[in-house]
Amino acid sequence: DLDPSRPQQLGIRLLPEKTKRNPQILIATQHEKSLQWKGMPPMKDWTAEIIKELRKFTDRPIVIRPHPRSPMMLSQNMDNVVIQKPAQIKNSYDDFDINYDYHCVINHNSGVPILAAIAGTPVITGPSSLAHPVSDTIENIENPSLPMRDDWLVAISHCEWTVDEIAEGIPMKRLEASIMAQLNS
């Protein structure tokens, strides 16, 4: 029961896939204490493993962007790898600068790959990510692409609700209908 006009109602639109991007690969890490990271290895180990896997297929420069509230140090210096320091956007409570103009954005399952894919940048994610349906693979890192994203955007736009919609109980009604359908099947 997806409304195809939902992205438009929320003011979200897909940008065309970027054909000219910076040559760097962005690895966006997550907060290790987030439930999205539960059961995963320490962030520095996961990041080192991703870099090791990438180096099998590319020598592109890599930028590591730690979660703003979860700084990270690599256990060793790596060639052609830099760590970026997120900067808080002035006069904001919790907004940080981020640029999606990379060759590809890699992230396990936070909001970064969703925003990158909407911005037209190819992504590589873990299977639990909401961006996984539009994710490419590390093996294809030299030529990553985005599949058709229209249906994906409609689906994920049903994960976000406005304050007015929540006050009206719309998300709860959708959940109740879904649960009842599951119970009756």
Side-chain angles (χ1 to χ4, degrees), residues 135-156:
S135 176
D136 209 325
T137 63
I138 286 179
E139 294 81 8
N140 196 34
I141 192 63
E142 278 302 313
N143 298 296
S145 63
L146 285 169
M148 290 297 295
R149 299 169 286 152
D150 299 310
D151 291 343
W152 167 78
L153 184 65
V154 169
I156 66 164

Side-chain angles (χ1 to χ4, degrees), residues 27-176:
I27 299 175
T29 67
Q30 296 175 221
H31 200 298
E32 283 189 300
K33 294 184 179 171
S34 166
L35 286 177
Q36 292 174 307
W37 196 253
K38 188 176 180 180
M40 295 295 289
M43 190 62 63
K44 66 180 181 157
D45 295 347
W46 177 84
T47 304
E49 189 59 35
I50 293 293
I51 292 169
K52 181 180 171 185
E53 192 65 20
L54 281 167
R55 289 302 181 227
K56 293 177 185 177
F57 304 100
T58 188
D59 61 356
R60 287 180 177 276
I62 296 171
V63 175
I64 299 170
R65 180 186 172 84
H67 185 283
R69 287 177 303 283
S70 188
M72 187 185 79
M73 299 291 291
L74 290 177
S75 55
Q76 61 190 26
N77 286 336
M78 297 187 183
D79 289 336
N80 220 5
V81 176
V82 297
I83 297 180
Q84 185 182 79
K85 186 173 193 266
Q88 187 170 7
I89 296 174
K90 188 176 179 174
N91 298 323
S92 75
Y93 168 71
D94 198 30
D95 290 332
F96 289 81
D97 68 326
I98 189 161
N99 172 5
Y100 297 109
D101 191 22
Y102 286 91
H103 177 71
C104 184
V105 172
I106 300 175
N107 174 269
H108 179 63
N109 71 353
S110 74
V112 171
I114 294 167
L115 296 172
I118 289 170
T121 300
V123 299
I124 296 173
T125 70
S128 61
S129 173
L130 289 176
H132 192 68
V134 295
S135 176
D136 209 325
T137 63
I138 286 179
E139 294 81 8
N140 196 34
I141 192 63
E142 278 302 313
N143 298 296
S145 63
L146 285 169
M148 290 297 295
R149 299 169 286 152
D150 299 310
D151 291 343
W152 167 78
L153 184 65
V154 169
I156 66 164
S157 69
H158 286 79
C159 296
E160 296 291 328
W161 301 94
T162 67
V163 172
D164 289 341
E165 290 170 329
I166 293 168
E168 290 176 41
I170 294 171
M172 283 303 296
K173 290 174 189 168
R174 291 180 61 87
L175 285 171
E176 288 170 353

